[in-house]
Amino acid sequence: METHGVPLTPEQARSALADTDHVRSSAAALSATPWPTWFFVTLTLYIAALPVVYGGVMADSDWLLPRPAWMGIMLVTTVAYGALFAVAAKAWRERTGVALRLDVLPKRATVPLAVGLPVLLVGSAFAFRATGQPLWLIAASLISAGVSVGFHLAFVRLHRKTA
């Protein structure tokens, strides 16, 4: 390594590498910072509502509302969630200089979430359609909200460990 044409001593090179590692770990810690609280609440409510909305869409006949109303609710909530996600990501990037990231979380947490949550959300709607029992939707809604809270708390804990 050279600085302004002057070779670095081994100690200076190690110091420069340590600084680079510190910057890299600081950036990882910052990008592992939890979602803004308002967005965490929005995400939790959205995930908790999905089983009920999916159940309404997939019901054999109109359940509580006509099927087109359920489709409208699903469309409006998904668009609103997408817009709020974009606002949260932009605000976070402007505030911290890094993007909101999930890839800094351990794979042992994110892989089961990425596989299990869709199965829970859609599976409960299929179970509701097959049995007609809304208990499936209520249970999936409560479990989904719990998963969202748990994932947020894991994000907070990871940030505290790396900060």
Side-chain angles (χ1 to χ4, degrees):
M1 291 181 114
E2 292 186 10
T3 304
H4 304 291
V6 178
L8 294 176
T9 66
E11 292 81 23
Q12 289 171 323
R14 278 192 283 281
S15 176
L17 289 173
D19 287 344
T20 301
D21 287 341
H22 176 70
V23 168
R24 190 176 293 133
S25 66
S26 294
L30 190 57
S31 61
T33 301
W35 304 99
T37 303
W38 68 266
F39 185 71
F40 154 67
V41 171
T42 300
L43 176 62
T44 302
L45 292 173
Y46 177 71
I47 289 175
L50 281 177
V52 176
V53 174
Y54 287 162
V57 168
M58 292 183 62
D60 281 332
S61 60
D62 289 346
W63 175 68
L64 300 177
L65 296 170
R67 184 172 287 154
W70 286 114
M71 293 294 289
I73 290 168
M74 184 165 49
L75 179 65
V76 167
T77 57
T78 302
V79 168
Y81 169 76
L84 290 172
F85 180 87
V87 168
K90 183 177 185 286
W92 192 253
R93 199 169 31 258
E94 288 172 356
R95 187 173 135 209
T96 65
V98 295
L100 291 169
R101 294 175 43 195
L102 293 176
D103 64 330
V104 295
L105 291 174
K107 298 286 185 257
R108 70 181 187 281
T110 55
V111 170
L113 178 74
V115 172
L117 196 57
V119 169
L120 176 67
L121 296 175
V122 176
S124 63
F126 278 111
F128 169 67
R129 182 179 175 134
T131 65
Q133 298 294 318
L135 183 62
W136 290 102
L137 305 175
I138 295 165
S141 182
L142 293 172
I143 292 168
S144 298
V147 166
S148 178
V149 170
F151 207 71
H152 179 73
L153 293 176
F155 230 163
V156 169
R157 195 176 89 207
L158 175 67
H159 176 66
R160 286 188 184 138
K161 281 179 26 179
T162 58

